[in-house]
Amino acid sequence: MHNHEDSERLASYADVLAGELPGAWTSTYHPSDHKDDLAELADRVWDLDLVAESLAEHPLQHAAVLTRRDGAQLVVLDRNDERDGFLIAAVAPDGLPDEAYRGVREPNGIALADDPFLGAEQVAGDLLARYDTALAQARHNAADGVHPSQPERVVLTWQPDGSLAAAPVGGTAAAILTANGFVADEQTGVYRLSGDDTAAQARAVRATGRQLDAQGIATALQHPSGRVAPTSAPPAAPAPAASRAGATRAR
């Protein structure tokens, strides 16, 4: 069992790290008596390298979980060697079927410097990019019919019911979608915008495109034909649902 000093050190480090990472992150510390939470967390560590090797030799005794607004999670744990610092690894999303991970490369984890400010730079410059890519691929696999986005481009995909769906990569894009009426599915990470009111939908799409563009993120519409039209400008107003349905039947 870890002593109080070790627990305080890990929890404090994780708190500072969460505040320094890009996007909105919160930190939750799990002490040794959170046995069920720690067991579940160990099963969800998305790593087949450094952190997996450490956990094989040193079962998880305590940990801190960093959670981003869009549901992405990282786990901070002891290094368990003679060096200072900690380990951090991606956490696989909860609730996705096993098929969602087929063909997805594990984002794994990294060793962190003892300085949480330097640690945040390490995570932002290395682990987050791999994690966001793997997360988007897994969520795309679990969400049939939604074209995957990339860190620099959000793809909006028409759905049969006239709604739009997107699987954003990163907290900035997710926050912009949410602010403009997209509703997140926590299990798949897909954000959906209703097509019940096409005028409101068009306004939301234009506003989303402008705000994403201001952050250096392009937008693209996935058309029913399967063609993706990339653009850095706000997407054009959606066509009425009836017109889209007719166009689909005509192909």
Side-chain angles (χ1 to χ4, degrees):
M1 183 176 293
H2 285 263
N3 61 39
H4 180 72
E5 183 179 351
D6 289 338
S7 300
E8 286 290 324
R9 181 168 170 265
L10 190 150
S12 297
Y13 184 99
D15 284 342
V16 176
L17 185 67
E20 294 298 315
L21 290 177
W25 295 80
T26 58
S27 176
T28 302
Y29 176 70
H30 293 284
S32 58
D33 58 353
H34 288 189
K35 298 185 185 302
D36 291 343
D37 291 332
L38 291 171
E40 179 187 358
L41 185 59
D43 288 340
R44 292 173 56 208
V45 170
W46 206 355
D47 183 291
L48 290 178
D49 193 15
L50 177 67
V51 178
E53 182 179 349
S54 176
L55 287 175
E57 298 180 3
H58 305 279
L60 201 58
Q61 297 297 317
H62 69 157
V65 176
L66 309 185
T67 303
R68 194 169 60 189
R69 183 183 302 171
D70 66 348
Q73 291 185 316
L74 303 170
V75 58
V76 183
L77 58 156
D78 290 324
R79 188 159 180 166
N80 290 310
D81 61 18
E82 70 283 0
R83 300 181 182 181
D84 293 331
F86 296 92
L87 298 178
I88 187 168
V91 177
D94 189 23
L96 294 187
D98 291 342
E99 311 85 71
Y101 298 100
R102 290 178 183 171
V104 180
R105 185 174 182 178
E106 291 79 9
N108 295 323
I110 59 174
L112 292 174
D114 198 38
D115 179 349
F117 298 97
L118 179 56
E121 293 180 8
Q122 293 176 283
V123 174
D126 183 2
L127 176 57
L128 273 185
R130 294 199 307 273
Y131 183 34
D132 281 337
T133 298
L135 192 60
Q137 290 173 344
R139 286 173 168 173
H140 168 61
N141 292 345
D144 187 34
V146 180
H147 197 279
S149 297
Q150 294 81 41
E152 70 284 354
R153 185 180 70 165
V154 170
V155 179
L156 307 177
T157 307
W158 291 118
Q159 300 299 291
D161 63 358
S163 65
L164 281 166
V169 174
T172 299
I176 290 173
L177 291 176
T178 300
N180 286 287
F182 285 78
V183 178
D185 181 320
E186 294 185 1
Q187 286 194 334
T188 64
V190 172
Y191 288 63
R192 300 183 186 276
L193 179 67
S194 172
D196 292 344
D197 184 335
T198 56
Q201 185 188 54
R203 289 194 297 270
V205 170
R206 287 194 293 268
T208 298
R210 287 194 298 268
Q211 292 168 28
L212 289 171
D213 185 55
Q215 297 296 322
I217 303 173
T219 54
L221 283 173
Q222 171 71 51
H223 298 293
S225 63
R227 296 190 304 271
V228 177
T231 175
S232 59
S243 299
R244 289 199 300 271
T248 303
R249 289 193 295 270
R251 285 188 171 87

